[in-house]
Coordinates of all heavy atoms in Angstrom, one line a residue:
M1 N 7.3 -3.1 -25.2 CA 6.4 -3.7 -24.3 C 7.1 -4.5 -23.2 O 6.8 -4.4 -22.1 CB 5.4 -4.7 -25.0 CG 4.1 -4.1 -25.5 SD 3.2 -3.0 -24.4 CE 1.9 -4.1 -24.0
L2 N 8.0 -5.4 -23.8 CA 8.8 -6.2 -22.8 C 9.6 -5.4 -21.9 O 9.7 -5.8 -20.7 CB 9.6 -7.2 -23.6 CG 10.4 -8.3 -22.7 CD1 9.4 -9.1 -21.9 CD2 11.3 -9.1 -23.6
S3 N 10.2 -4.3 -22.3 CA 11.0 -3.6 -21.4 C 10.3 -2.9 -20.3 O 10.7 -2.8 -19.2 CB 11.8 -2.5 -22.2 OG 10.9 -1.6 -22.8
A4 N 9.0 -2.5 -20.6 CA 8.1 -2.0 -19.5 C 7.8 -3.0 -18.5 O 7.8 -2.8 -17.3 CB 6.9 -1.4 -20.2
W5 N 7.5 -4.2 -19.0 CA 7.2 -5.3 -18.1 C 8.3 -5.7 -17.2 O 8.2 -5.9 -16.0 CB 6.7 -6.6 -18.9 CG 6.3 -7.7 -18.1 CD1 5.1 -8.0 -17.6 CD2 7.1 -8.8 -17.6 NE1 5.0 -9.1 -16.9 CE2 6.3 -9.7 -16.9 CE3 8.5 -9.1 -17.8 CZ2 6.8 -10.8 -16.2 CZ3 9.0 -10.2 -17.1 CH2 8.1 -11.1 -16.4
V6 N 9.5 -5.7 -17.8 CA 10.7 -6.0 -17.0 C 11.0 -4.9 -15.9 O 11.3 -5.2 -14.8 CB 12.0 -6.2 -17.9 CG1 13.2 -6.3 -17.1 CG2 11.8 -7.5 -18.8
S7 N 10.7 -3.7 -16.3 CA 10.9 -2.6 -15.4 C 10.0 -2.7 -14.2 O 10.4 -2.5 -13.0 CB 10.6 -1.2 -16.0 OG 11.6 -1.0 -17.0
W8 N 8.7 -3.1 -14.5 CA 7.7 -3.3 -13.4 C 8.1 -4.5 -12.5 O 8.0 -4.5 -11.3 CB 6.3 -3.5 -13.9 CG 5.6 -2.2 -14.3 CD1 6.1 -1.2 -15.1 CD2 4.4 -1.8 -13.7 NE1 5.2 -0.2 -15.1 CE2 4.2 -0.5 -14.2 CE3 3.5 -2.3 -12.8 CZ2 3.1 0.3 -13.9 CZ3 2.4 -1.5 -12.5 CH2 2.2 -0.3 -13.0
L9 N 8.6 -5.6 -13.2 CA 9.0 -6.8 -12.4 C 10.2 -6.4 -11.5 O 10.2 -6.8 -10.3 CB 9.5 -7.8 -13.4 CG 10.0 -9.1 -12.8 CD1 9.0 -9.8 -12.0 CD2 10.6 -10.0 -13.9
L10 N 11.2 -5.7 -12.0 CA 12.3 -5.2 -11.1 C 11.8 -4.4 -9.9 O 12.3 -4.5 -8.8 CB 13.3 -4.5 -11.9 CG 14.1 -5.4 -12.9 CD1 15.0 -4.5 -13.8 CD2 14.9 -6.5 -12.2
R11 N 10.8 -3.5 -10.2 CA 10.3 -2.6 -9.1 C 9.6 -3.5 -8.1 O 9.7 -3.2 -6.9 CB 9.4 -1.6 -9.7 CG 9.0 -0.5 -8.7 CD 8.3 0.6 -9.4 NE 7.8 1.5 -8.3 CZ 6.8 2.4 -8.5 NH1 6.3 2.5 -9.7 NH2 6.4 3.1 -7.5
R12 N 8.8 -4.5 -8.6 CA 8.1 -5.4 -7.6 C 9.1 -6.1 -6.8 O 9.0 -6.3 -5.6 CB 7.3 -6.4 -8.4 CG 6.0 -5.9 -8.9 CD 5.2 -6.9 -9.6 NE 3.9 -6.4 -9.9 CZ 3.2 -6.9 -10.9 NH1 3.6 -7.8 -11.7 NH2 2.0 -6.4 -11.1
Y13 N 10.2 -6.6 -7.4 CA 11.2 -7.3 -6.7 C 11.8 -6.4 -5.6 O 12.0 -6.9 -4.5 CB 12.3 -7.8 -7.7 CG 13.5 -8.3 -7.0 CD1 13.5 -9.6 -6.4 CD2 14.7 -7.5 -6.9 CE1 14.7 -10.1 -5.8 CE2 15.8 -8.0 -6.2 CZ 15.8 -9.2 -5.7 OH 16.9 -9.7 -5.0
E14 N 12.1 -5.2 -6.0 CA 12.7 -4.3 -5.0 C 11.8 -4.0 -3.8 O 12.2 -4.0 -2.7 CB 13.1 -3.0 -5.6 CG 14.3 -3.1 -6.5 CD 15.6 -3.6 -5.8 OE1 15.8 -3.2 -4.6 OE2 16.3 -4.3 -6.4
Q15 N 10.5 -3.9 -4.1 CA 9.5 -3.7 -3.0 C 9.4 -4.9 -2.1 O 9.5 -4.8 -0.9 CB 8.1 -3.4 -3.6 CG 7.1 -3.2 -2.5 CD 5.8 -2.7 -2.9 OE1 5.6 -1.5 -3.0 NE2 4.8 -3.5 -3.2
F16 N 9.4 -6.1 -2.6 CA 9.3 -7.3 -1.8 C 10.6 -7.5 -1.1 O 10.6 -7.9 0.1 CB 9.0 -8.6 -2.7 CG 7.6 -8.7 -3.1 CD1 7.2 -8.8 -4.4 CD2 6.6 -8.7 -2.2 CE1 5.9 -8.9 -4.8 CE2 5.2 -8.7 -2.5 CZ 4.9 -8.8 -3.9
K17 N 11.8 -7.3 -1.7 CA 13.0 -7.4 -1.0 C 13.1 -6.4 0.2 O 13.6 -6.8 1.2 CB 14.2 -7.1 -2.0 CG 15.6 -7.2 -1.5 CD 16.6 -6.9 -2.5 CE 18.0 -6.9 -1.8 NZ 19.0 -6.3 -2.7
H18 N 12.7 -5.2 -0.1 CA 12.7 -4.2 1.0 C 11.8 -4.7 2.2 O 12.1 -4.5 3.3 CB 12.3 -2.8 0.5 CG 12.3 -1.8 1.5 ND1 11.2 -1.5 2.3 CD2 13.2 -0.9 2.0 CE1 11.5 -0.5 3.2 NE2 12.7 -0.2 3.0
W19 N 10.7 -5.2 1.8 CA 9.7 -5.7 2.8 C 10.3 -6.8 3.6 O 10.2 -6.8 4.9 CB 8.4 -6.2 2.1 CG 7.2 -6.3 2.9 CD1 7.1 -6.4 4.3 CD2 5.9 -6.4 2.4 NE1 5.8 -6.5 4.7 CE2 5.0 -6.6 3.5 CE3 5.3 -6.5 1.2 CZ2 3.7 -6.7 3.4 CZ3 3.9 -6.6 1.1 CH2 3.1 -6.7 2.2
V20 N 11.0 -7.8 3.0 CA 11.6 -8.9 3.7 C 12.7 -8.4 4.6 O 12.8 -8.9 5.8 CB 12.1 -10.0 2.7 CG1 12.9 -11.0 3.4 CG2 10.9 -10.6 2.0
E21 N 13.5 -7.5 4.1 CA 14.7 -7.1 4.8 C 14.4 -6.1 5.9 O 15.1 -6.0 6.9 CB 15.8 -6.6 3.9 CG 16.3 -7.6 3.0 CD 17.3 -7.1 1.9 OE1 17.4 -5.9 1.8 OE2 17.9 -7.9 1.2
N22 N 13.4 -5.2 5.7 CA 13.2 -4.0 6.6 C 11.8 -4.0 7.2 O 11.5 -3.0 7.9 CB 13.4 -2.7 5.8 CG 14.8 -2.7 5.2 OD1 15.8 -2.8 5.9 ND2 14.9 -2.5 3.9
G23 N 10.9 -4.9 6.9 CA 9.6 -4.9 7.4 C 8.7 -4.2 6.4 O 9.1 -3.7 5.3
E24 N 7.4 -4.1 6.8 CA 6.4 -3.5 5.8 C 6.8 -2.1 5.4 O 7.3 -1.2 6.2 CB 5.1 -3.4 6.6 CG 3.9 -3.1 5.7 CD 2.6 -3.1 6.4 OE1 2.6 -3.6 7.6 OE2 1.6 -2.7 5.8
P25 N 6.7 -1.8 4.1 CA 7.1 -0.4 3.6 C 6.3 0.7 4.2 O 5.1 0.5 4.6 CB 6.9 -0.5 2.1 CG 6.8 -2.0 1.8 CD 6.3 -2.7 3.0
T26 N 6.9 1.8 4.4 CA 6.1 3.0 4.9 C 5.0 3.4 3.8 O 3.9 3.8 4.2 CB 7.1 4.2 5.1 OG1 8.1 3.8 5.9 CG2 6.4 5.4 5.6
V27 N 5.4 3.3 2.6 CA 4.4 3.6 1.5 C 4.3 2.4 0.6 O 5.4 1.9 0.1 CB 4.8 4.8 0.7 CG1 3.9 5.1 -0.5 CG2 5.0 6.0 1.6
M28 N 3.1 1.8 0.4 CA 3.0 0.6 -0.4 C 2.6 0.9 -1.8 O 1.7 1.7 -2.0 CB 1.9 -0.3 0.3 CG 1.6 -1.6 -0.5 SD 3.1 -2.7 -0.5 CE 3.1 -3.2 1.2
W29 N 3.3 0.3 -2.7 CA 3.0 0.4 -4.1 C 2.0 -0.7 -4.4 O 2.4 -1.8 -4.6 CB 4.3 0.4 -5.0 CG 4.1 0.4 -6.4 CD1 3.3 1.3 -7.1 CD2 4.6 -0.5 -7.4 NE1 3.3 1.0 -8.5 CE2 4.2 -0.1 -8.7 CE3 5.5 -1.5 -7.3 CZ2 4.5 -0.7 -9.8 CZ3 5.9 -2.2 -8.5 CH2 5.4 -1.8 -9.7
L30 N 0.7 -0.4 -4.4 CA -0.3 -1.4 -4.6 C -0.2 -2.2 -5.9 O -0.5 -3.3 -5.9 CB -1.7 -0.8 -4.4 CG -2.2 -0.5 -3.0 CD1 -3.6 0.0 -3.0 CD2 -2.0 -1.7 -2.1
A31 N 0.1 -1.4 -7.0 CA 0.2 -2.1 -8.3 C 1.3 -3.1 -8.3 O 1.3 -4.0 -9.2 CB 0.4 -1.1 -9.3
G32 N 2.3 -3.1 -7.4 CA 3.3 -4.0 -7.3 C 3.0 -5.3 -6.6 O 3.8 -6.2 -6.5
L33 N 1.8 -5.4 -6.0 CA 1.4 -6.6 -5.3 C 0.6 -7.5 -6.3 O -0.2 -7.0 -7.2 CB 0.5 -6.3 -4.1 CG 1.1 -5.4 -3.1 CD1 0.1 -5.0 -2.0 CD2 2.3 -6.1 -2.5
H34 N 0.7 -8.8 -6.2 CA 0.0 -9.7 -7.0 C -1.5 -9.6 -6.8 O -2.3 -9.7 -7.7 CB 0.5 -11.1 -6.8 CG -0.2 -12.1 -7.7 ND1 0.0 -12.2 -9.0 CD2 -1.1 -13.1 -7.4 CE1 -0.7 -13.2 -9.5 NE2 -1.4 -13.7 -8.6
A35 N -1.9 -9.5 -5.5 CA -3.3 -9.4 -5.2 C -3.5 -8.3 -4.1 O -3.5 -8.6 -2.9 CB -3.8 -10.7 -4.7
P36 N -3.5 -7.0 -4.6 CA -3.6 -5.9 -3.6 C -4.8 -6.0 -2.7 O -4.8 -5.5 -1.6 CB -3.6 -4.7 -4.5 CG -3.9 -5.1 -5.8 CD -3.5 -6.6 -5.9
E37 N -5.9 -6.6 -3.2 CA -7.1 -6.6 -2.3 C -6.9 -7.5 -1.1 O -7.5 -7.2 0.0 CB -8.3 -7.1 -3.1 CG -8.2 -8.5 -3.6 CD -7.4 -8.7 -4.9 OE1 -6.9 -7.7 -5.5 OE2 -7.4 -9.8 -5.5
T38 N -6.0 -8.5 -1.1 CA -5.7 -9.3 0.1 C -4.9 -8.5 1.0 O -5.0 -8.7 2.3 CB -5.0 -10.6 -0.3 OG1 -3.8 -10.3 -1.0 CG2 -5.9 -11.5 -1.1
Y39 N -4.0 -7.6 0.6 CA -3.2 -6.7 1.5 C -4.2 -5.8 2.2 O -4.1 -5.6 3.4 CB -2.2 -5.9 0.7 CG -1.4 -4.9 1.5 CD1 -0.5 -5.4 2.4 CD2 -1.7 -3.6 1.4 CE1 0.2 -4.4 3.2 CE2 -1.0 -2.7 2.2 CZ 0.0 -3.1 3.0 OH 0.6 -2.2 3.8
I40 N -5.1 -5.2 1.5 CA -6.1 -4.3 2.1 C -6.9 -5.1 3.1 O -7.2 -4.6 4.3 CB -7.0 -3.6 1.1 CG1 -6.2 -2.8 0.1 CG2 -8.1 -2.8 1.7 CD1 -5.4 -1.6 0.7
A41 N -7.4 -6.3 2.8 CA -8.2 -7.1 3.7 C -7.4 -7.4 5.0 O -7.9 -7.4 6.1 CB -8.6 -8.4 3.0
A42 N -6.1 -7.7 4.8 CA -5.2 -8.0 6.0 C -5.1 -6.7 6.9 O -5.1 -6.9 8.1 CB -3.8 -8.4 5.5
L43 N -5.0 -5.5 6.3 CA -4.9 -4.3 7.1 C -6.2 -4.2 7.9 O -6.2 -3.8 9.1 CB -4.8 -3.1 6.2 CG -3.4 -2.9 5.5 CD1 -3.5 -1.7 4.5 CD2 -2.3 -2.7 6.5
V44 N -7.4 -4.4 7.3 CA -8.7 -4.3 8.0 C -8.7 -5.3 9.1 O -9.1 -5.0 10.2 CB -9.8 -4.5 7.0 CG1 -11.1 -4.6 7.7 CG2 -9.9 -3.4 6.0
Q45 N -8.3 -6.6 8.8 CA -8.3 -7.6 9.9 C -7.4 -7.3 11.0 O -7.8 -7.5 12.2 CB -7.9 -8.9 9.2 CG -9.0 -9.5 8.3 CD -8.5 -10.7 7.6 OE1 -7.3 -11.2 7.7 NE2 -9.3 -11.3 6.7
T46 N -6.3 -6.7 10.7 CA -5.3 -6.4 11.8 C -5.9 -5.3 12.7 O -5.8 -5.4 13.9 CB -4.0 -5.9 11.2 OG1 -3.4 -7.0 10.4 CG2 -3.0 -5.5 12.2
A47 N -6.5 -4.3 12.1 CA -7.0 -3.2 12.9 C -8.2 -3.7 13.7 O -8.3 -3.3 14.9 CB -7.5 -2.0 11.9
C48 N -9.1 -4.5 13.2 CA -10.2 -5.0 13.9 C -9.7 -5.9 15.1 O -10.3 -5.8 16.2 CB -11.1 -5.9 13.0 SG -12.1 -4.9 11.8
R49 N -8.7 -6.7 14.8 CA -8.2 -7.6 15.9 C -7.6 -6.8 17.0 O -7.9 -7.0 18.2 CB -7.1 -8.5 15.3 CG -7.0 -9.8 16.0 CD -6.0 -10.8 15.4 NE -6.6 -11.4 14.1 CZ -6.1 -11.3 12.9 NH1 -5.0 -10.7 12.7 NH2 -6.7 -11.8 11.9
E50 N -6.8 -5.8 16.7 CA -6.2 -4.9 17.7 C -7.2 -4.1 18.5 O -7.0 -3.8 19.7 CB -5.1 -4.0 17.1 CG -3.9 -4.8 16.7 CD -2.8 -3.9 16.1 OE1 -2.9 -2.7 16.2 OE2 -1.9 -4.4 15.4
R51 N -8.2 -3.6 17.8 CA -9.2 -2.7 18.5 C -10.4 -3.5 19.0 O -11.3 -2.8 19.7 CB -9.7 -1.7 17.5 CG -8.6 -0.8 16.8 CD -8.0 0.2 17.8 NE -9.0 1.1 18.2 CZ -9.0 2.4 18.3 NH1 -7.8 2.9 18.0 NH2 -9.9 3.1 18.8
G52 N -10.5 -4.8 18.7 CA -11.7 -5.5 19.2 C -12.9 -5.2 18.5 O -14.0 -5.4 19.0
W53 N -12.8 -4.8 17.2 CA -14.0 -4.4 16.4 C -14.5 -5.7 15.7 O -13.7 -6.5 15.3 CB -13.6 -3.4 15.4 CG -13.2 -2.1 15.9 CD1 -13.6 -1.5 17.1 CD2 -12.5 -1.1 15.3 NE1 -13.0 -0.3 17.3 CE2 -12.3 0.0 16.1 CE3 -11.8 -1.0 14.0 CZ2 -11.6 1.2 15.8 CZ3 -11.1 0.1 13.7 CH2 -11.0 1.2 14.6
P54 N -15.8 -5.8 15.4 CA -16.3 -6.9 14.6 C -15.9 -6.7 13.2 O -16.1 -5.7 12.6 CB -17.8 -6.8 14.8 CG -18.1 -5.4 15.2 CD -16.9 -4.9 15.9
L55 N -15.3 -7.7 12.6 CA -14.8 -7.7 11.2 C -16.0 -7.5 10.2 O -15.8 -6.7 9.3 CB -14.0 -8.9 10.9 CG -13.4 -9.0 9.5 CD1 -12.4 -7.9 9.4 CD2 -12.7 -10.3 9.4
D56 N -17.1 -8.1 10.5 CA -18.2 -8.0 9.5 C -18.9 -6.6 9.5 O -19.6 -6.3 8.6 CB -19.2 -9.1 9.8 CG -19.9 -9.0 11.2 OD1 -19.2 -8.4 12.1 OD2 -21.0 -9.5 11.3
K57 N -18.5 -5.7 10.4 CA -19.1 -4.4 10.5 C -18.1 -3.3 10.1 O -18.3 -2.1 10.2 CB -19.7 -4.1 11.8 CG -20.9 -5.0 12.2 CD -21.7 -4.5 13.3 CE -22.7 -5.5 13.8 NZ -23.7 -5.9 12.8
S58 N -16.9 -3.8 9.7 CA -15.8 -2.8 9.4 C -16.0 -2.2 8.0 O -16.6 -2.8 7.1 CB -14.5 -3.5 9.5 OG -14.3 -4.5 8.5
T59 N -15.4 -1.1 7.8 CA -15.4 -0.4 6.5 C -14.0 0.1 6.2 O -13.1 0.1 7.1 CB -16.4 0.8 6.5 OG1 -15.9 1.7 7.5 CG2 -17.8 0.4 6.7
I60 N -13.8 0.5 4.9 CA -12.5 1.0 4.5 C -12.7 2.5 4.3 O -13.7 2.9 3.6 CB -12.0 0.3 3.3 CG1 -11.8 -1.2 3.6 CG2 -10.7 1.0 2.8 CD1 -11.4 -2.0 2.4
Q61 N -11.8 3.3 4.8 CA -11.8 4.7 4.5 C -10.6 5.1 3.7 O -9.5 4.7 4.0 CB -11.9 5.5 5.8 CG -11.8 7.0 5.7 CD -11.7 7.8 7.0 OE1 -11.9 7.2 8.0 NE2 -11.3 9.0 6.9
T62 N -10.8 6.0 2.7 CA -9.7 6.5 1.9 C -9.6 8.0 2.1 O -10.6 8.7 2.1 CB -10.0 6.2 0.4 OG1 -10.1 4.7 0.3 CG2 -8.8 6.6 -0.4
Q63 N -8.4 8.5 2.2 CA -8.2 9.9 2.4 C -7.1 10.3 1.4 O -6.0 9.7 1.4 CB -7.8 10.2 3.8 CG -7.6 11.7 4.1 CD -7.3 11.9 5.6 OE1 -7.4 11.1 6.4 NE2 -6.9 13.2 5.8
V64 N -7.3 11.3 0.6 CA -6.3 11.8 -0.3 C -5.4 12.8 0.5 O -6.0 13.7 1.3 CB -7.0 12.6 -1.5 CG1 -5.9 13.2 -2.4 CG2 -7.8 11.6 -2.3
T65 N -4.1 12.7 0.4 CA -3.2 13.6 1.1 C -2.6 14.5 0.1 O -2.8 14.5 -1.1 CB -2.1 12.7 1.8 OG1 -1.3 12.2 0.8 CG2 -2.7 11.7 2.7
R66 N -1.8 15.4 0.7 CA -1.1 16.4 -0.2 C 0.4 15.9 -0.5 O 1.1 16.7 -1.1 CB -1.1 17.7 0.5 CG -2.5 18.3 0.6 CD -2.4 19.8 1.0 NE -3.7 20.4 1.2 CZ -4.5 20.8 0.2 NH1 -4.0 20.8 -1.1 NH2 -5.6 21.3 0.4
F67 N 0.7 14.8 -0.1 CA 2.1 14.2 -0.4 C 2.2 14.0 -1.9 O 1.3 13.5 -2.5 CB 2.3 12.9 0.4 CG 2.3 13.1 1.9 CD1 1.4 12.4 2.6 CD2 3.3 13.9 2.5 CE1 1.4 12.5 4.0 CE2 3.3 14.0 3.9 CZ 2.3 13.3 4.7
V68 N 3.3 14.4 -2.4 CA 3.5 14.1 -3.9 C 4.7 13.2 -4.1 O 4.8 12.7 -5.2 CB 3.8 15.4 -4.6 CG1 2.5 16.3 -4.6 CG2 4.9 16.2 -4.1
D69 N 5.4 12.9 -3.1 CA 6.6 12.0 -3.2 C 6.6 11.1 -2.0 O 6.5 11.6 -0.9 CB 7.9 12.9 -3.3 CG 9.1 12.0 -3.6 OD1 9.2 10.9 -3.1 OD2 9.9 12.6 -4.3
P70 N 6.8 9.8 -2.2 CA 6.8 8.9 -1.1 C 7.9 9.1 0.0 O 7.7 8.8 1.1 CB 7.0 7.5 -1.7 CG 6.7 7.7 -3.1 CD 6.9 9.1 -3.5
T71 N 8.9 9.8 -0.4 CA 10.0 10.1 0.6 C 9.6 11.2 1.6 O 10.3 11.3 2.6 CB 11.3 10.6 -0.2 OG1 11.0 11.8 -1.0 CG2 11.8 9.5 -1.1
Q72 N 8.5 11.9 1.3 CA 8.0 12.9 2.3 C 7.4 12.2 3.5 O 7.2 12.8 4.5 CB 6.9 13.7 1.6 CG 7.4 14.6 0.5 CD 6.3 15.4 -0.1 OE1 5.5 14.8 -0.9 NE2 6.2 16.7 0.1
I73 N 7.1 10.9 3.4 CA 6.4 10.2 4.5 C 7.4 9.5 5.3 O 8.2 8.6 4.8 CB 5.3 9.3 3.9 CG1 4.3 10.1 3.1 CG2 4.7 8.5 5.1 CD1 3.3 9.2 2.3
K74 N 7.5 9.8 6.6 CA 8.6 9.2 7.4 C 8.2 8.0 8.2 O 9.0 7.2 8.6 CB 9.2 10.3 8.3 CG 9.7 11.5 7.6 CD 10.8 11.1 6.6 CE 11.3 12.3 5.9 NZ 12.0 11.9 4.6
E75 N 6.9 7.9 8.5 CA 6.4 6.7 9.3 C 5.0 6.3 8.8 O 4.3 7.1 8.3 CB 6.5 6.9 10.8 CG 5.6 8.0 11.3 CD 5.8 8.3 12.7 OE1 7.0 8.4 13.2 OE2 4.8 8.4 13.4
K76 N 4.7 5.0 9.0 CA 3.4 4.4 8.7 C 2.4 4.9 9.7 O 2.7 5.2 10.8 CB 3.5 2.9 8.7 CG 4.5 2.3 7.8 CD 4.4 0.7 7.9 CE 4.7 0.3 9.3 NZ 4.9 -1.1 9.5
P77 N 1.1 5.0 9.2 CA 0.1 5.3 10.2 C -0.1 4.1 11.1 O 0.3 2.9 10.8 CB -1.2 5.5 9.3 CG -0.9 4.8 8.0 CD 0.6 4.8 7.9
R78 N -0.7 4.3 12.3 CA -0.9 3.2 13.2 C -1.8 2.1 12.6 O -1.6 0.9 12.7 CB -1.5 3.7 14.5 CG -1.7 2.5 15.5 CD -2.1 3.0 16.8 NE -2.4 1.9 17.6 CZ -2.2 1.8 18.9 NH1 -1.7 2.8 19.5 NH2 -2.5 0.7 19.6
Y79 N -2.9 2.5 11.9 CA -3.8 1.6 11.3 C -3.9 2.0 9.8 O -3.9 3.2 9.5 CB -5.2 1.6 11.9 CG -5.2 1.2 13.3 CD1 -5.3 2.2 14.3 CD2 -5.0 0.0 13.7 CE1 -5.3 1.9 15.7 CE2 -4.9 -0.4 15.1 CZ -5.1 0.5 16.0 OH -5.1 0.2 17.4
G80 N -3.8 1.1 8.9 CA -3.9 1.4 7.5 C -2.6 1.5 6.9 O -1.6 1.0 7.4
C81 N -2.5 2.2 5.8 CA -1.3 2.4 5.1 C -1.3 3.6 4.1 O -2.4 4.1 3.8 CB -0.9 1.2 4.3 SG -2.0 0.9 2.9
Y82 N -0.2 4.1 3.7 CA -0.1 5.0 2.6 C 0.2 4.2 1.4 O 0.9 3.2 1.4 CB 1.1 6.0 2.9 CG 0.9 7.0 4.0 CD1 1.6 6.9 5.2 CD2 0.0 8.1 3.8 CE1 1.4 7.8 6.2 CE2 -0.2 9.0 4.8 CZ 0.5 8.8 6.0 OH 0.3 9.7 7.0
V83 N -0.4 4.6 0.3 CA -0.2 3.9 -1.0 C 0.2 4.9 -2.0 O 0.0 6.1 -1.9 CB -1.5 3.2 -1.5 CG1 -1.9 2.1 -0.5 CG2 -2.6 4.1 -1.8
Q84 N 0.9 4.4 -3.1 CA 1.3 5.2 -4.2 C 0.9 4.4 -5.5 O 0.7 3.2 -5.4 CB 2.8 5.5 -4.2 CG 3.6 4.2 -4.3 CD 5.1 4.6 -4.5 OE1 5.5 5.5 -5.1 NE2 6.0 3.8 -3.9
G85 N 0.9 5.1 -6.6 CA 0.7 4.5 -7.9 C -0.7 4.3 -8.3 O -1.0 3.5 -9.1
L86 N -1.6 5.0 -7.6 CA -3.0 4.9 -8.0 C -3.4 5.9 -9.1 O -2.8 7.0 -9.0 CB -4.0 5.1 -6.8 CG -3.8 4.1 -5.7 CD1 -4.8 4.4 -4.6 CD2 -3.9 2.6 -6.2
Y87 N -4.2 5.6 -10.0 CA -4.6 6.5 -11.1 C -6.1 6.7 -11.1 O -6.9 5.7 -11.0 CB -4.1 6.0 -12.4 CG -2.6 5.9 -12.5 CD1 -2.0 4.7 -12.1 CD2 -1.8 7.0 -12.8 CE1 -0.6 4.6 -12.2 CE2 -0.4 6.9 -12.8 CZ 0.1 5.6 -12.5 OH 1.5 5.6 -12.5
L88 N -6.6 7.9 -11.2 CA -8.0 8.1 -11.4 C -8.3 8.2 -12.9 O -7.6 8.9 -13.7 CB -8.5 9.5 -10.8 CG -8.5 9.5 -9.3 CD1 -8.8 10.9 -8.8 CD2 -9.5 8.5 -8.7
E89 N -9.3 7.5 -13.4 CA -9.7 7.5 -14.8 C -11.1 8.0 -14.8 O -12.0 7.4 -14.1 CB -9.6 6.2 -15.4 CG -8.1 5.7 -15.6 CD -8.0 4.4 -16.3 OE1 -8.9 4.0 -17.0 OE2 -6.9 3.8 -16.2
G90 N -11.4 9.0 -15.7 CA -12.8 9.5 -15.8 C -13.3 10.2 -14.6 O -14.5 10.1 -14.4
A91 N -12.5 10.7 -13.8 CA -12.9 11.4 -12.6 C -12.2 12.7 -12.5 O -11.2 13.0 -13.2 CB -12.6 10.6 -11.4
G92 N -12.7 13.6 -11.6 CA -12.1 14.8 -11.3 C -12.5 15.4 -10.0 O -13.5 15.0 -9.5
W93 N -11.8 16.5 -9.5 CA -12.3 17.2 -8.4 C -11.9 18.6 -8.4 O -11.3 19.1 -9.3 CB -12.0 16.5 -7.1 CG -10.5 16.5 -6.6 CD1 -9.8 17.4 -6.2 CD2 -9.8 15.2 -6.5 NE1 -8.5 16.9 -5.8 CE2 -8.5 15.6 -6.0 CE3 -10.0 13.9 -6.8 CZ2 -7.5 14.7 -5.8 CZ3 -9.0 13.0 -6.6 CH2 -7.8 13.4 -6.1

């Protein structure tokens, strides 16, 4: 148990270190954030501010891609982000 926790801690550290040194990651590991909902809220606020949209009327859109490895993605989208590490439970398509 402890070894798994330490592995996740090290991965979180690497994500934050990369973010500080190189700017926002191209692909965000949401599980590595302490409060991922605040990161998503910040993305929405940034897009609304840049586009002049009312924040209270904004929505979040999710799109599943065919990427299977984060290294396949070379640049961030203009608005929003690519994420990794999400799991579907009790769902299918």
Side-chain angles (χ1 to χ4, degrees):
M1 269 316 253
L2 182 59
S3 64
W5 183 86
V6 170
S7 295
W8 278 59
L9 178 64
L10 292 174
R11 189 169 173 202
R12 283 182 171 153
Y13 169 77
E14 288 301 323
Q15 177 168 275
F16 284 124
K17 181 181 175 194
H18 181 270
W19 197 343
V20 168
E21 293 174 352
N22 304 305
E24 189 176 353
T26 304
V27 179
M28 181 61 72
W29 176 48
L30 284 183
L33 300 176
H34 180 69
E37 63 277 4
T38 57
Y39 176 74
I40 301 296
L43 289 175
V44 172
Q45 290 173 359
T46 301
C48 287
R49 207 174 288 123
E50 287 182 15
R51 303 288 299 226
W53 295 336
L55 184 59
D56 61 336
K57 298 197 186 301
S58 66
T59 60
I60 297 174
Q61 176 185 344
T62 303
Q63 182 178 351
V64 177
T65 67
R66 296 192 182 275
F67 297 117
V68 294
D69 188 322
T71 60
Q72 293 177 287
I73 301 169
K74 301 303 177 199
E75 62 184 48
K76 299 181 300 190
R78 181 171 174 150
Y79 300 106
C81 67
Y82 290 107
V83 298
Q84 66 171 323
L86 300 181
Y87 300 92
L88 290 175
E89 292 184 18
W93 66 73

